[in-house]
Amino acid sequence: MSGTSPRAFRGEILSVGGDPREDTGAVRYEADGLLVVEDGVVVARGPHADLAERWGAVPTYAVPGLIVPGFIDAHVHYPQMDRIASHGEQLLDWLERHIFPAEQAFASRAHADAVAAAFLDELLRHGTTSALVFATVHEQSVDALFAAALDRRMRIASGKVMMDRGPADLCDTVATSRAESEALIHRWRGRGRLSYAITPRFALTSSDAQMQAAGDLLAAYPDALLHTHLAENRHECDAVTARFPASRDYLDVYDGFGLVGARSVFAHGIHLSARACARLAEAGAGIAVCPSSNLFLGSGFFDFGQAQAHGVRLGLGTDIGAGTSFSLMHTGGLAYQAALAREERLDPFYALYLATAGSAHLLHIADRVGALAVGQEADFVVLDDRATPLLARRTAQASLAERLFAMQILGDDRIVAETYVLGHPAWRRAGGCSPPA
Ligand code: GUN
Ligand code: ZN
C-alpha cells in the first residue's frame, strides 16, 4: 500500500495500551477524536480540535461508532470452526470423538483452502485482525491459512501441529515434523504480515523426542513463537502426571525440553501451581486465557489473581472450536464472569486490554498493533453500542465503562459495524455508512 495519500477517521476513539490495573494512564480516549492513516500506518491521533488545523484538508470519514484497535485472538484453531458446539464431552473425549476426525479432512488442500477462507472472513466479521492460529498436522493446512491471510493482508501467526503420538491417521514423526516445520518457516518467512509458531499440540500427543525437536527449533529460529496447550483440564493434567511422574508440574515437562521462554504462548493454564506461575513470569512466557472454551469443556475458571500476583503475561483467546464465540468482546465478558466465579472483579478496560494490547504483547507484535498509537499499523474496528434494541436501551446515558461492559456482556458480531485492515475496509455490516475505499 505504498504511496497512498492520507485519510482521516473522525469519531470516538478508545485504546488500552497497557495494563490499566498497573498503569492509570493506559486508557486513552478521545470523545471527538481524529485518526489519520497513511500507507496503512497511523500518522496522527488525538482530539479533533487539536489536529484539525494540521489535518483539516485530508479527506475525513465520520465514523459511525466507537473506534478501538483490531482484536487479537491469542489462541484459536481454524480447522475446528465447523465443529463448534459439539455436544457432550470434556477435553480428551471431545478431541477423540469430534476434533481428530474433523482435522483428518485437512489432508485435502482444497478443503483447507475453503475452511481457511471462511475462518478468516469470520474473524474479520468479529473485528479480529490478528491471531495466533492452530492449523493441523498437515503441512498444507498452514499453506492454506497463510495464503488466505496474505490475500486479506491480516497479521497471522501459525504453524504445523507436531503430534507423533496422535491417532494413526493424524500423526507425524519426529523427522517429518522437524522437516515440514522448517520448510514452512523458509517458505513463508518475511511474506506479508505472517509469522511462524512452532506448535507441538500438547504434552500428551508428542513423544519426548518430538518435544525436544520442538525445543531445538525454538532455539534455532529466534523469530518464531512456541504455541501449545498447558494445564487446561483435570483429566488431561492427571494423564500428564501419570506419564511424567518425575516432573514437578505440567509446565516443568515443557521446561525440560526447552519450550518455556519469552516467545512461548500457552493456552489455558487453568490448573497452575504457584511454582509454575513464578516460572512463567521469570521466563517472560504468557498465557492465552480462553474462558468460553473453559466453560464449554468444563475445564474450570482462570485464576486472574494468581497470575497478577506472579506477574504472568496474559492475552485473550477464543479457542474455537472448544470456544463458543469468535467475538473477543464477548470473550472479555466471559472472562469477567470466570473471574467473578473466583470472587475476582475484572474491569472492562482491562478486558479490552487483554483482547488487544495484552494479546499483542504475548505475540510479540505490540510494536505493530494493539494500541492505535502513532507509528502502529492501522488495524481497527468500529463498534456500535446500539446494535440491538436491548443494547441501545442499556447504553443510553451510560458511562464509557458501562457501554464497554454492556457490549462485552451482550455483544457478538452484531456490534462490529466495520473492520479495517491497514486503514482499508475489510468488512462492513450491511446497512452501514460508506467508508473510504
Ligand atoms: N489440547 C490439545 N489439543 C487441544 C485442542 O484442539 N483444543 C483444546 N481446547 N485443547 C487441546
Ligand atoms: Zn486450543
Side-chain angles (χ1 to χ4, degrees):
M1 208 29 62
S2 63
T4 56
S5 45
R7 72 189 74 194
F9 300 82
R10 181 177 179 180
E12 211 182 355
I13 309 175
L14 170 67
S15 62
V16 188
D19 184 340
R21 302 169 308 181
E22 277 146 29
D23 172 7
T24 48
V27 177
R28 194 168 163 202
Y29 175 69
E30 290 97 17
D32 178 13
L34 199 70
L35 184 74
V36 187
V37 176
E38 187 170 12
D39 294 334
V41 170
V42 177
V43 293
R45 172 186 166 182
H48 177 262
D50 295 353
L51 298 182
E53 196 179 340
R54 165 73 178 83
W55 298 101
V58 167
T60 300
Y61 170 53
V63 170
L66 173 67
I67 297 175
V68 297
F71 301 120
I72 302 171
D73 194 334
H75 177 70
V76 58
H77 299 246
Y78 97 82
Q80 297 179 12
M81 75 175 284
D82 296 322
R83 286 294 168 272
I84 199 165
S86 290
H87 182 265
E89 326 284 350
Q90 288 213 2
L91 174 65
L92 299 179
D93 297 326
W94 171 83
L95 286 171
E96 295 283 345
R97 177 162 167 221
H98 300 293
I99 297 306
F100 291 156
E103 292 193 5
Q104 281 155 14
F106 287 73
S108 153
R109 173 67 193 257
H111 179 71
D113 283 334
V115 178
F119 169 80
L120 293 177
D121 289 344
E122 200 64 23
L123 289 189
L124 292 170
R125 275 177 11 83
H126 287 82
T128 299
T129 50
S130 300
L132 174 57
V133 186
F134 255 72
T136 67
V137 73
H138 313 95
E139 184 178 354
Q140 64 270 27
S141 72
V142 182
D143 288 322
L145 180 70
F146 277 162
L150 200 59
D151 280 354
R152 291 163 180 75
R153 307 169 76 220
M154 294 171 74
R155 187 167 272 293
I156 296 292
S158 187
K160 174 211 131 59
V161 177
M162 304 168 74
M163 47 188 300
D164 64 342
R165 284 169 51 113
D169 35 13
L170 195 67
C171 197
D172 54 11
T173 68
V174 176
T176 60
S177 67
R178 190 201 316 263
E180 291 173 9
S181 297
E182 287 200 294
L184 283 162
I185 290 170
H186 292 290
R187 186 143 71 246
W188 290 99
R189 176 182 262 172
R191 294 177 70 182
R193 304 168 82 199
L194 308 175
S195 58
Y196 199 78
I198 296 152
T199 311
R201 184 172 205 121
F202 68 154
L204 296 179
T205 43
S206 284
S207 65
D208 290 19
Q210 188 174 57
M211 282 193 275
Q212 189 55 58
D216 294 345
L217 286 170
L218 189 61
Y221 295 98
D223 290 345
L225 297 173
L226 183 283
H227 186 198
T228 190
H229 297 90
L230 171 69
E232 173 181 3
N233 187 280
R234 272 278 167 235
H235 306 290
E236 169 209 15
C237 292
D238 290 347
V240 169
T241 305
R243 178 167 154 210
F244 300 96
S247 295
R248 285 173 290 186
D249 50 44
Y250 197 155
L251 185 72
D252 201 35
V253 173
Y254 290 143
D255 229 348
F257 300 109
L259 297 176
V260 181
R263 304 186 71 82
S264 305
V265 179
F266 296 103
H268 306 295
I270 296 294
H271 307 285
L272 288 181
S273 63
R275 190 213 75 83
C277 285
R279 173 68 186 125
L280 284 169
E282 177 196 55
I287 302 276
V289 181
C290 306
S292 84
S293 163
N294 301 149
L295 201 56
F296 181 74
L297 292 178
S299 298
F301 303 108
F302 186 75
D303 190 339
F304 286 94
Q306 184 189 37
Q308 187 180 10
H310 287 91
V312 179
R313 288 205 293 194
L314 304 182
L316 200 61
T318 62
D319 193 30
I320 297 296
T324 51
S325 169
F326 273 81
S327 167
L328 281 169
M329 284 291 280
H330 185 63
T331 304
L334 289 170
Y336 166 85
Q337 295 172 54
L340 208 57
R342 288 186 181 266
E343 314 232 358
E344 295 160 20
R345 205 158 286 162
L346 212 75
D347 176 78
F349 293 101
Y350 177 63
L352 180 61
Y353 164 74
L354 286 178
T356 54
S359 286
H361 281 289
L362 213 60
L363 274 50
H364 290 259
I365 52 176
D367 55 332
R368 308 292 182 87
V369 289
L372 283 181
V374 169
Q376 287 198 328
E377 295 159 354
D379 290 350
F380 58 94
V381 182
V382 178
L383 297 177
D384 176 4
D385 68 3
R386 289 161 303 179
T388 68
L390 181 60
L391 262 170
R393 293 177 70 88
R394 184 61 186 91
T395 57
Q397 278 95 48
S399 69
L400 178 63
E402 289 167 338
R403 290 163 56 211
L404 193 58
F405 188 54
M407 285 191 280
Q408 288 165 352
I409 296 300
L410 298 173
D412 50 31
D413 52 327
R414 292 171 295 180
I415 63 172
V416 177
E418 299 169 349
T419 303
Y420 289 80
V421 170
L422 297 173
H424 289 266
W427 189 80
R428 187 157 63 92
R429 199 178 58 189
C433 306
S434 274

